[in-house]
Coordinates of all heavy atoms in Angstrom, one line a residue:
V150 N -19.9 11.1 12.9 CA -20.9 10.3 13.5 C -20.3 9.6 14.8 O -19.2 9.1 14.7 CB -21.5 9.3 12.5 CG1 -22.5 8.4 13.2 CG2 -22.1 10.0 11.4
S151 N -21.0 9.6 15.9 CA -20.5 9.0 17.1 C -20.5 7.5 16.9 O -21.2 6.9 16.1 CB -21.4 9.3 18.3 OG -22.6 8.7 18.2
R152 N -19.6 6.8 17.7 CA -19.5 5.4 17.6 C -20.8 4.7 17.9 O -21.1 3.7 17.3 CB -18.4 4.9 18.6 CG -18.1 3.5 18.6 CD -17.1 3.1 19.6 NE -17.8 3.4 20.9 CZ -17.5 2.9 22.0 NH1 -16.6 2.0 22.1 NH2 -18.2 3.2 23.1
W153 N -21.6 5.2 18.9 CA -22.8 4.5 19.2 C -23.8 4.6 18.1 O -24.6 3.7 17.9 CB -23.4 5.2 20.5 CG -22.5 4.9 21.7 CD1 -22.3 3.7 22.3 CD2 -21.8 5.9 22.4 NE1 -21.4 3.9 23.3 CE2 -21.1 5.2 23.4 CE3 -21.6 7.3 22.2 CZ2 -20.2 5.9 24.3 CZ3 -20.7 7.9 23.1 CH2 -20.1 7.2 24.1
A154 N -23.8 5.8 17.4 CA -24.8 5.9 16.3 C -24.4 4.9 15.2 O -25.3 4.4 14.5 CB -24.8 7.3 15.8
R155 N -23.1 4.7 14.9 CA -22.7 3.8 13.9 C -23.1 2.4 14.2 O -23.4 1.6 13.4 CB -21.2 3.9 13.7 CG -20.7 5.0 12.9 CD -19.3 4.8 12.4 NE -18.3 4.5 13.5 CZ -17.6 5.5 14.1 NH1 -17.7 6.7 13.7 NH2 -16.8 5.2 15.1
D156 N -22.9 2.0 15.5 CA -23.2 0.6 16.0 C -24.7 0.4 16.2 O -25.2 -0.7 16.5 CB -22.5 0.3 17.2 CG -21.0 0.3 17.0 OD1 -20.6 0.2 15.8 OD2 -20.2 0.4 18.0
G157 N -25.5 1.5 16.2 CA -27.0 1.4 16.4 C -27.3 1.2 17.9 O -28.4 0.7 18.2
Q158 N -26.4 1.6 18.7 CA -26.7 1.5 20.2 C -26.6 2.9 20.8 O -25.8 3.8 20.3 CB -25.6 0.6 20.8 CG -25.6 -0.7 20.3 CD -24.4 -1.5 20.8 OE1 -23.6 -0.9 21.6 NE2 -24.3 -2.8 20.5
G159 N -27.2 3.1 21.8 CA -27.1 4.4 22.6 C -26.2 4.2 23.7 O -25.8 3.1 24.1
P160 N -25.7 5.4 24.3 CA -24.9 5.2 25.5 C -25.6 4.6 26.6 O -26.8 4.8 26.8 CB -24.5 6.7 25.8 CG -25.5 7.5 25.1 CD -26.0 6.7 24.0
R161 N -24.9 3.7 27.4 CA -25.5 3.0 28.5 C -25.2 3.6 29.8 O -24.2 4.0 30.2 CB -25.1 1.5 28.4 CG -25.7 0.9 27.2 CD -25.3 -0.5 27.1 NE -25.9 -0.9 25.8 CZ -25.7 -2.1 25.3 NH1 -25.0 -3.0 26.0 NH2 -26.2 -2.5 24.2

Side-chain angles (χ1 to χ4, degrees):
V150 176
S151 70
R152 184 185 61 155
W153 295 292
R155 279 196 306 265
D156 296 341
Q158 303 170 356
R161 294 181 183 174

